[in-house]
Amino acid sequence: MSPNPRTCVGCRRKDVRKNLVRIAARDSAAEVDEQATIPGRGAWIHPDPGCLNRANRAHAFERALRAQNLDMTKIGLWLESIVSRDVHDGASQEAKKAGRNPMGTR
Ligand SMILES: [Zn+2]
């Protein structure tokens, strides 16, 4: 396997492919292309809210995918699932480490 770095469209940093997620456009909707099977152009991004927000503000997906008025609904849902998963994992790990329930997490 070669490192074959990609550039994140959010933070513009190069990273290895396994740390990035491919976003591709299908029927003018941006989709998370986890298996990298959607033909055509792809945009690579870290599964990170900061990178996604930055890419959104800069219209980086539209530019990378050569598409206009991209429907970002699926990307938004994907990001929400990542964020809630991270928060959940973090909280349970903290709880294990501390040996008690974390205080007031909503
Ligand atoms: Zn990034």
Side-chain angles (χ1 to χ4, degrees), residues 30-50:
E31 285 190 28
V32 181
D33 186 14
E34 307 233 32
Q35 314 299 323
T37 51
I38 298 177
R41 293 179 163 276
W44 294 84
I45 190 159
H46 290 114
D48 180 283

Side-chain angles (χ1 to χ4, degrees), residues 8 11 46 51:
C8 171
C11 61
H46 290 114
C51 290

Side-chain angles (χ1 to χ4, degrees), residues 6-79:
R6 316 276 166 156
T7 304
C8 171
V9 295
C11 61
R12 317 295 307 175
R13 276 197 285 261
K14 284 204 170 78
D15 207 340
V16 291
R17 193 185 143 153
K18 70 174 169 63
N19 290 340
L20 296 159
V21 177
R22 185 176 191 256
I23 306 295
R26 189 147 56 183
D27 302 328
S28 75
E31 285 190 28
V32 181
D33 186 14
E34 307 233 32
Q35 314 299 323
T37 51
I38 298 177
R41 293 179 163 276
W44 294 84
I45 190 159
H46 290 114
D48 180 283
C51 290
L52 197 77
N53 286 335
R54 224 187 296 195
N56 269 337
R57 276 201 303 271
H59 300 285
F61 289 114
E62 274 101 338
R63 272 189 293 178
L65 304 175
R66 300 274 161 89
Q68 281 178 343
N69 302 316
L70 268 179
D71 179 355
M72 298 298 289
T73 310
K74 284 179 183 166
I75 309 303
L77 292 173
W78 167 71
L79 188 72

